[in-house]
Amino acid sequence: MPSSTPVLGFEGYIYVGEVGAATGTLTELKECNQLNFNMSFGEVDATMQGNHGVKSYKKGLQDFSIGFSLLLQDTQSDEGDLVLNAIRSRTPIQIHVVNALSGEGPCGTFYVFGSEVSIDGENLESIACTCRPAAGYGVPTIVKGTNGGT
């Protein structure tokens, strides 16, 4: 739920589950921070001779991604293990990001790519994760729901 003190940036929650899981059955991934999502369209030049020298455009491909840092712990939760296994095995998982203020956010099937690793001394602290839509599972949709869709 939204905090009573002002928060700079996006305040939200991320819910995860196996591919095909109903939105309301996803569980919150609490071992994360720096949650964000990006949704934008590219552009395609559609200028024709009849435009009289004025360029015109059509929307291009939609780019969509979810990003967060997975905080690594001695004992990961089931949700944290699900994300780590998705990175290692390159298998997709179901993800729903919920904006704390509006109660809605993107939901779909995503591949999770882990990249930058944060190391404190000799201890692995977090993995920067980027999630992109998995081909063959449809496109992400904006879903209302504050607890994984419930």
Side-chain angles (χ1 to χ4, degrees), residues 5 16 31 36 41 44 46 64 68 72 84 86 88 91 100 109 114:
T5 56
V16 297
E31 300 135 319
N36 63 76
F41 285 98
V44 177
F64 194 96
F68 60 91
L72 300 175
L84 286 173
R88 289 183 192 123
T91 56
T109 304

Side-chain angles (χ1 to χ4, degrees), residues 29-150:
L29 174 64
K30 295 184 180 189
E31 300 135 319
C32 75
N33 63 16
Q34 300 177 357
L35 175 63
N36 63 76
F37 70 90
N38 170 51
M39 187 168 64
S40 61
F41 285 98
E43 58 189 36
V44 177
D45 186 342
T47 307
M48 297 188 299
Q49 191 172 9
N51 285 31
H52 305 290
V54 177
K55 281 190 154 194
S56 62
Y57 297 89
K58 290 183 178 181
K59 68 179 183 177
L61 295 176
Q62 182 178 6
D63 189 15
F64 194 96
S65 64
I66 296 170
F68 60 91
S69 289
L70 177 65
L71 306 175
L72 300 175
Q73 303 180 7
D74 291 337
T75 307
Q76 289 295 131
S77 67
D78 290 344
E79 296 79 24
D81 279 341
L82 179 71
V83 173
L84 286 173
N85 288 335
I87 293 170
R88 289 183 192 123
S89 64
R90 299 183 183 205
T91 56
I93 60 174
Q94 202 74 14
I95 298 177
H96 183 197
V97 173
V98 178
N99 181 319
L101 296 176
S102 70
E104 62 184 18
C107 184
T109 304
F110 294 84
Y111 281 106
V112 182
F113 303 98
S115 58
E116 302 165 9
V117 176
S118 171
I119 300 174
D120 176 26
E122 294 182 11
N123 298 323
L124 189 61
E125 283 193 338
S126 66
I127 297 175
C129 298
T130 301
C131 308
R132 297 215 179 259
Y137 293 92
V139 297
T141 57
I142 302 299
V143 175
K144 185 130 178 112
T146 57
N147 187 13
T150 58

